[in-house]
Amino acid sequence: MRFPLRFKLALLSLLLLLFPLLGMRLNSTLKSSLIVSQKDTLNFTAQAVAAALTNRSDLFDREQFRSLNQSRDLYLFQLSNIIRLDGALDDWQPELAQAETFGGQVPTAFSFRHMVGNQDKHLYAFFEVRDEKVIYRSRSSLRLDRSDHVQILIEDAAGQHRYLIAPHEEGWVNGFLMPDNPIKFPVSEQRIQGAWKETGAGYVLELRIPLELLGSKLAFTVADVDDEKERGVRTLLGTANLTENQEPGWLLGTSKPIEDILRSLDRPYARIRVVDQNQRIRAQVGSLRKPESQLADTDQFARLMQRISELLQPLFRFFIAALPDDIQEPVSQPAELDLQGMKEGLAGRHSFSSYLMKDGGAEVLTVITPLHDGGKVIAAVVVEQTTSSILAFSNRMIEETITLSVLAFLLGGGIFFLFAYQLSGRIRRLRDQAASAIAPDGHIRSGIKVDRARDEIGDLGRTLGAMLEQLRQQIEHREQMANNLEHEMRTPLAGVAASLKNLKQEQLRQQENPPSKQVMEYIRWAERDVERLEGLLTSIREAASLKNALLLDSKEPLDLGRALSMWLEHSWQLAFGGVDFVWQPPDEEVLVEGDPVRLHQALDKLVENAVSFRLPETPVELRLERQSETVSVQVINQGPSIEPSLQQQIFNSMTSHRPLKDDRPHMGLGLYIVRTIMEHHNGKVSVRNLDDGRSGAAFTISLPRVRF
C-alpha cells in the first residue's frame, strides 16, 4: 500500500499525543500524593481540635458532657422547617424520622412518639399519643390531673418546676404551673403554648416553650385516664420515670462555645463534629458541600482556557471522573452518629476510615480522635472531608492538559500538515516535470525548472535538470551520429564498390589470362559485404529519420483486409518464395485510418521477423480480428519462444535477441520502427508466446476501427 508523504507526516504528528499521556500519568501520581497529604491534614486537624478541647473541665461541665443517660436525656434537634402549632406533623420533616417511641409494646396499648427541637429561641415538642379513649378535663373541676394530660418538669438553678397541659377540648392550649403546696391553685403560664388535636388513634399535642424558661434538665410525662367517672390516672409514660423519683434528663444540644472553637479549624469540603459518649452530635461546623461563593478568576488566559474547556466538554467526559454538582447531605441531623471507627474513638483509640455517601457520588475520608478530660475519654472528635477538592483539582488538571494538548496538536499538526503539503507539492511538481520531460519515444521535450531552494529537494531538482540536459545532448548526438556515420561510410563504400566493379570488368576483358576461381570468390565476398553495409546504413538512416517523416504523412481510410491480401500476393510471397503463408481474407470491409505505406512498412518488419525466426517447413500465419473498437493483425510463426522479461524490451531501439545468427545485418531497429509507426497511428504492438501446444510467438498490432 502506498502512503503519501503528507499522510506519513500526519502520523508523525501523533507523537504529540505523548504529552497528554505523560500529563495523565503525572496527574495520577499527583492525585495519589494529594490523597495521602489529605489524610495527614485530617489527622493534624483532628489532633489540633482534640488539643484545643482536652482538659476543658469547665467547658464540659457547662455543656453537660458528664453523667449522660441515654434513657432519659433529651436531645435537642436543630429543626429545618418552621413549626406551625396546628396538630399536624408534616412540618416536622425530615427530623420526624428521628422521633423516639415510649411504651407501645402491644399495638393497642397506650404509647406515644416524641421529639424536641430548637428553632428561633424556642423549644418545640410534639407528642403523638396512642390512646383508645381521650378524656378531657371537666369544666366544673379545678383539678388538672383528673384527665388525660402532659406533665412538663423543668429543673434550673432555682429548683424543679412542674407544668401541666390538660385541655377541656381539642384546640389551643396553654401550660399551668403546678404549685408546691397542694392547697394552692395552678397558675396559667401563657408562654407555654400548644395545639391539641384528636386523631383516630388518640391525639397529637404540639408545644412551644421559650428557651429562657428552660433550665439544664427537662422531662415529659404523658398521663392516661380511661374512666370518665373516677378519673384516676391509669398509666404514666415519660422520658424519665418520675414515679420512682428519678431526676429529669439533661437537655442536650449543640454547643455554641465548642462550635466557635471548631470554626477556626474549618476546611473546604470538610466537616468537624464532637460526639459524646452516647454518640450524640454535640457540636458541628463545616459542610461536605462545595462552598457557595468563590472568587471569579479575572485572568484573561484563564477565561480563554475556560471557554475552550466548555467546547471540549464532550471530550473531557472520557478522561475525567464524574464530580457531582453538589453533595446531598442529610437535611436532618441524626440523633446518633454511627460511623466505622466511632466506637474505637470513644474507647480511646485513634481510627481512620472512608465511606461513600448514599448517592455514591463522593468518597468521604474520616478521622476519629478521642477527647480526654482528666484522663477519661469524654467525647470524640470526628473530622470528615470529601475527596471532591482533590477530584476537582485532578479534573481541572486533566482538562487543562487536554486543552493545551489539543491546542498544541492543532497548532503542531497544522504546521506539520502545511509543511508536508508544501514539501509534497514541491516533490509532486518535480515528479510531473520529470514525467513530462521525456516523450514516449525517448526524446527530451522540456527541461526541469530550476528550484532555487537550498535544500535536498532543490539539489535533487537541479541534479535531474543536469541529467536531462546531458541525456538530451546524448540523444541529439546519437541521432546526428547516424547521419554522420552514413555520410562518412557511404563515400569510401562507393569507392570500394567502384573499384571492385572495375577490377571485375578488367579481369573479364583479359580473356587470354582469365582470373582464378579464388580471385573471383574474393570479389563476390567483397561485393556481398558492401551490400550488407549499404543495407545497414539504410536501416540506420530510416530509423533516425522515421519520426520526422511520419509528421509529413497523411492518413486515409484503408480496407485492411484487402490491403493484407494485396501485400501478401505482390510483396511477401515474392520476397520469401520458399515460405508458406496462411491467410484467410475477411468477408467484409475492415476499415482503419492510416498511411498505407507506413502500415505496409510495419507489417513488412513483422513478416520479415517471423520468416527469420520460423522453423523450417513451418508456415507464417496472418490473422485479422475485429473487436468492437479496434482491429488487430497477428503475425504468427513457430520457432523459439521469447523470454517474458524480454517481451517489452525487444521493441526498444538497438535491441536484438537472436539465438541463431545468420549472414544478414541485424541492428535491433525493425521492431522499434513497428512500435513507432503504431504509436503514430494511435495503435500499439505486443508479443506473446503461443499457448496452443506449439512453440513460437505471435506479434499483434492493434489499430482503432473506423465506422461510417
Side-chain angles (χ1 to χ4, degrees):
M1 183 178 293
R2 181 174 179 269
F3 296 101
L5 184 61
R6 284 175 292 179
F7 179 75
K8 294 179 180 178
L9 286 177
L11 288 179
L12 185 63
S13 65
L14 293 178
L15 292 176
L16 295 173
L17 294 177
L18 290 177
F19 293 102
L21 294 179
L22 293 175
M24 295 292 184
R25 177 59 181 170
L26 177 62
N27 177 72
S28 177
T29 303
L30 182 60
K31 181 179 177 181
S32 301
S33 300
L34 289 175
I35 290 178
V36 173
S37 177
Q38 186 181 28
K39 293 178 181 178
D40 296 339
T41 303
L42 290 180
N43 284 326
F44 173 78
T45 302
Q47 293 173 6
V49 172
L53 297 177
T54 297
N55 296 325
R56 293 288 301 273
S57 299
D58 56 337
L59 181 63
F60 295 140
D61 290 341
R62 187 170 67 251
E63 300 300 328
Q64 296 93 36
F65 269 79
R66 300 181 182 279
S67 303
L68 300 178
N69 191 317
Q70 180 76 6
S71 62
R72 65 172 184 264
D73 293 336
L74 296 178
Y75 187 72
L76 193 60
F77 287 89
Q78 299 296 324
L79 299 176
S80 304
N81 298 319
I82 297 176
I83 303 301
R84 300 181 302 274
L85 299 179
D86 55 4
L89 301 181
D90 54 339
D91 47 4
W92 286 82
Q93 297 288 357
E95 287 78 18
L96 185 62
Q98 305 290 334
E100 294 186 59
T101 300
F102 296 83
Q105 286 77 14
V106 181
T108 58
F110 174 73
S111 63
F112 69 91
R113 191 164 60 132
H114 165 67
M115 173 182 283
V116 291
N118 178 24
Q119 187 182 85
D120 193 22
K121 298 182 181 182
H122 286 83
L123 178 143
Y124 287 84
F126 82 83
F127 303 86
E128 186 180 24
V129 182
R130 177 183 291 274
D131 189 356
E132 294 180 353
K133 186 176 182 181
V134 179
I135 304 297
Y136 291 103
R137 179 163 62 95
S138 174
R139 295 184 180 275
S140 60
S141 174
L142 296 178
R143 294 194 57 177
L144 301 178
D145 57 354
R146 304 285 291 173
S147 62
D148 291 338
H149 63 273
V150 175
Q151 301 179 19
I152 305 172
L153 182 62
I154 299 175
E155 182 176 323
D156 55 15
Q160 293 184 350
H161 310 280
R162 190 163 66 100
Y163 298 86
L164 262 67
I165 307 294
H168 296 292
E169 59 185 1
E170 66 175 344
W172 189 261
V173 296
N174 291 105
F176 289 89
L177 175 62
M178 303 302 293
D180 296 333
N181 190 345
I183 63 175
K184 293 183 178 180
F185 292 104
V187 179
S188 175
E189 178 57 71
Q190 297 296 321
R191 292 178 294 177
I192 300 178
Q193 302 172 338
W196 186 298
K197 181 180 179 181
E198 281 195 51
T199 63
Y203 60 91
V204 172
L205 173 63
E206 285 186 293
L207 291 178
R208 179 173 62 201
I209 305 174
L211 293 178
E212 62 183 15
L213 191 63
L214 300 175
S216 59
K217 292 185 178 182
L218 179 66
F220 294 98
T221 303
V222 179
D224 179 34
V225 175
D226 288 338
D227 191 337
E228 192 171 0
K229 293 182 178 181
E230 295 182 0
R231 293 183 175 270
V233 176
R234 178 183 176 186
T235 307
L236 284 174
L237 282 178
T239 59
N241 193 344
L242 301 181
T243 59
E244 297 179 1
N245 296 322
Q246 286 188 358
E247 294 184 356
W250 293 100
L251 183 59
L252 305 177
T254 56
S255 171
K256 299 300 180 182
I258 295 178
E259 287 182 348
D260 292 338
I261 296 174
L262 299 183
R263 285 190 182 91
S264 62
L265 298 171
D266 189 17
R267 298 174 52 81
Y269 298 99
R271 180 171 56 198
I272 305 176
R273 293 170 170 173
V274 175
V275 181
D276 62 20
Q277 284 291 344
N278 290 331
Q279 296 183 221
R280 304 266 188 168
I281 299 174
R282 303 300 304 279
Q284 174 177 308
V285 296
S287 174
L288 300 180
R289 304 173 68 178
K290 181 179 179 180
E292 296 183 0
S293 60
Q294 291 184 339
L295 294 177
D297 196 350
T298 58
D299 184 70
Q300 293 183 357
F301 178 76
R303 289 199 298 269
L304 176 61
M305 293 293 292
Q306 184 177 2
R307 293 192 186 99
I308 297 175
S309 298
E310 291 174 357
L311 297 176
L312 297 178
Q313 283 300 322
L315 178 62
F316 293 157
R317 295 193 186 100
F318 294 100
F319 299 98
I320 65 176
L323 183 64
D325 294 335
D326 199 2
I327 296 176
Q328 300 298 324
E329 289 186 301
V331 178
S332 61
Q333 181 175 299
E336 296 182 2
L337 186 62
D338 187 13
L339 292 176
Q340 181 181 355
M342 192 74 252
K343 297 185 183 304
E344 289 83 349
L346 292 174
R349 295 188 297 273
H350 181 85
S351 65
F352 173 83
S353 62
S354 63
Y355 65 91
L356 290 177
M357 301 195 71
K358 291 183 179 181
D359 56 4
E363 182 184 14
V364 181
L365 305 179
T366 305
V367 174
I368 301 176
T369 299
L371 189 59
H372 296 85
D373 182 51
K376 181 180 179 182
V377 177
I378 197 169
V381 177
V382 181
V383 182
E384 300 170 283
Q385 188 176 28
T386 68
T387 58
S388 297
S389 58
I390 295 178
L391 187 59
F393 176 74
S394 174
N395 289 347
R396 187 166 64 252
M397 282 193 61
I398 292 176
E399 291 178 0
E400 291 183 358
T401 300
I402 295 177
T403 301
L404 292 175
S405 299
V406 168
L407 292 177
F409 183 77
L410 292 177
L411 181 61
I415 293 175
F416 267 118
F417 179 79
L418 292 177
F419 175 72
Y421 186 82
Q422 190 265 349
L423 189 65
S424 62
R426 292 175 58 194
I427 296 175
R428 196 165 53 250
R429 288 192 297 271
L430 185 60
R431 178 203 63 190
D432 295 340
Q433 291 182 43
S436 61
I438 303 178
D441 58 2
H443 284 74
I444 305 299
R445 291 188 296 198
S446 61
I448 293 180
K449 185 178 180 180
V450 177
D451 190 347
R452 300 188 181 278
R454 299 297 178 181
D455 55 13
E456 289 80 357
I457 298 179
D459 295 340
L460 178 61
R462 289 186 287 272
T463 302
L464 288 177
M467 292 174 58
L468 285 175
E469 179 61 24
Q470 293 178 4
L471 182 59
R472 183 187 63 79
Q473 294 176 3
Q474 291 181 6
I475 292 175
E476 291 179 354
H477 176 71
R478 186 185 66 181
E479 293 177 348
Q480 188 63 31
M481 183 183 66
N483 295 329
N484 295 336
L485 181 62
E486 180 188 11
H487 176 72
E488 294 296 332
M489 292 183 66
R490 282 192 183 277
T491 300
L493 278 177
V496 172
S499 298
L500 289 175
K501 182 178 181 182
N502 293 335
L503 177 61
K504 184 177 181 181
Q505 290 176 354
E506 184 65 25
Q507 290 293 334
L508 291 176
R509 284 198 299 268
Q510 297 177 2
Q511 296 296 334
E512 66 281 359
N513 188 18
S516 65
K517 291 182 179 181
Q518 187 67 32
V519 172
M520 294 302 296
E521 187 68 23
Y522 289 155
I523 293 174
R524 284 195 298 272
W525 288 352
E527 289 176 341
R528 186 175 58 188
D529 289 340
V530 169
E531 291 176 356
R532 292 182 61 187
L533 285 173
E534 287 181 345
L536 180 60
L537 291 174
T538 300
S539 298
I540 293 175
R541 178 173 52 81
E542 185 181 51
S545 61
L546 179 60
K547 292 185 178 293
N548 294 330
L550 288 173
L551 297 176
L552 302 176
D553 293 342
S554 61
K555 298 178 182 179
E556 60 184 39
L558 173 68
D559 184 353
L560 190 57
R562 182 179 178 185
L564 284 172
S565 299
M566 183 177 63
W567 295 336
L568 177 60
E569 180 181 356
H570 298 288
S571 178
W572 301 328
Q573 288 181 345
L574 296 177
F576 308 105
V579 179
D580 293 333
F581 289 90
V582 177
W583 162 246
Q584 181 64 41
D587 298 334
E588 57 183 13
E589 286 185 338
V590 180
L591 295 178
V592 296
E593 186 177 26
D595 186 293
V597 176
R598 294 303 179 185
L599 295 178
H600 184 200
Q601 182 184 5
L603 288 169
D604 269 345
K605 300 296 183 182
L606 294 181
V607 171
E608 181 182 357
N609 185 76
V611 170
S612 64
F613 279 95
R614 73 181 181 89
L615 295 176
E617 307 301 327
T618 59
V620 174
E621 301 179 31
L622 300 176
R623 295 180 183 176
L624 179 63
E625 296 181 356
R626 288 163 290 185
Q627 289 81 31
S628 59
E629 300 295 334
T630 60
V631 176
S632 62
V633 177
Q634 294 188 37
V635 181
I636 303 172
N637 69 277
Q638 300 181 44
S641 300
I642 302 175
E643 293 290 337
S645 60
L646 298 175
Q647 290 182 3
Q648 295 299 325
Q649 299 180 13
I650 59 177
F651 295 102
N652 295 332
S653 177
M654 308 296 287
T655 301
S656 178
H657 175 67
R658 288 182 176 269
L660 300 176
K661 303 297 182 181
D662 57 20
D663 56 355
R664 301 181 61 188
H666 299 284
M667 294 289 291
L669 297 173
L671 296 179
Y672 169 71
I673 292 173
V674 175
R675 190 192 74 178
T676 304
I677 294 174
M678 287 300 102
E679 290 175 351
H680 177 70
H681 286 78
N682 298 322
K684 62 181 181 179
V685 61
S686 61
V687 64
R688 63 177 177 85
N689 291 323
L690 298 180
D691 55 2
D692 55 0
R694 298 179 297 172
S695 176
F699 285 82
T700 304
I701 63 172
S702 299
L703 294 167
R705 187 174 179 181
V706 176
R707 299 176 183 271
F708 291 98

